[in-house]
Amino acid sequence: MAKKDAAKAPSKSKAQPDDTGIKIVARNRKARHEYELLERVEAGMVLTGTEVKSLRNGKANLEDAYAEINDGEIWLLGCDIPEYLQANRMNHVPKRPRKLLLHGREIAKLGTKSGEKGLTLVPLSIYFKKGIAKVELSVARGRKTYDKREALKQQEAKRDIDRALRKR
């Protein structure tokens, strides 16, 4: 009797997707160091078929990417999604501008904030959420060199404190 009940119980294997359904493709790790992140927003992306296939293979680069607002539309510039190797002559251009999907009020809000002196729109990550490609954008302010050093000192101090507490 016990064997039958155990067989019916759902097993927790690694093959099952996580509860959130998010698969991260690329992160802009430099952005967290170079900028002070103020506000974050999630946006959809307009992609071609070969771009989606390349992203599903885990290939993308956000290193020099940024977002810009033109004529009430928001565009992701400088993002490199390499060509899909199995595609034929219908492949995409790797560094083309990609349109981002946001509501008009969100674009207007981001436009006013990014229009302020010293603020810019920086992509933090590209990921799939329930099978749909998304990009996480942040309104950011560039850090000075001394600010970067101070942030590193704070992170290191926090890490040391956490280590000391774990050893107890």
Side-chain angles (χ1 to χ4, degrees), residues 4-148:
K4 288 183 181 178
D5 292 339
K8 290 181 183 178
S11 63
K12 301 247 179 179
S13 67
K14 292 182 181 179
Q16 293 177 348
D18 59 345
D19 294 336
T20 59
I22 294 175
K23 178 190 171 195
I24 295 175
V25 177
R27 286 192 178 163
N28 191 351
R29 295 176 64 201
K30 249 186 181 177
R32 298 176 201 285
H33 178 70
E34 299 283 334
Y35 299 98
E36 176 186 349
L37 306 178
L38 303 176
E39 182 181 335
R40 296 178 188 198
V41 68
E42 177 183 82
M45 298 175 72
V46 176
L47 300 171
T48 63
T50 55
E51 286 174 327
V52 174
K53 289 184 176 203
S54 189
L55 283 177
R56 289 206 188 275
N57 283 342
K59 307 220 168 143
N61 186 2
L62 288 173
E63 197 152 318
D64 297 328
Y66 62 98
E68 194 174 82
I69 298 175
N70 288 332
D71 299 329
E73 296 179 339
I74 190 162
W75 295 86
L76 182 63
L77 305 168
C79 175
D80 183 25
I81 299 175
E83 290 184 345
Y84 183 61
L85 296 176
Q86 285 78 27
N88 55 10
R89 65 178 186 255
M90 300 301 285
N91 225 330
H92 63 276
V93 178
K95 282 206 171 196
R96 75 176 183 88
R98 292 170 178 87
K99 187 175 179 181
L100 300 180
L101 304 172
L102 286 171
H103 289 284
R105 65 181 176 275
E106 291 176 318
I107 293 173
K109 184 178 170 185
L110 288 175
T112 57
K113 287 190 178 186
S114 67
E116 293 177 24
K117 186 177 179 186
L119 296 181
T120 185
L121 292 172
V122 177
L124 300 178
S125 62
I126 294 178
Y127 54 92
F128 283 99
K129 185 174 183 180
K130 297 180 183 176
I132 298 171
K134 305 274 187 180
V135 63
E136 183 181 18
L137 288 176
S138 177
V139 177
R141 176 179 289 120
R143 284 187 179 163
K144 304 285 185 204
T145 307
Y146 55 85
D147 291 336
K148 293 178 195 175

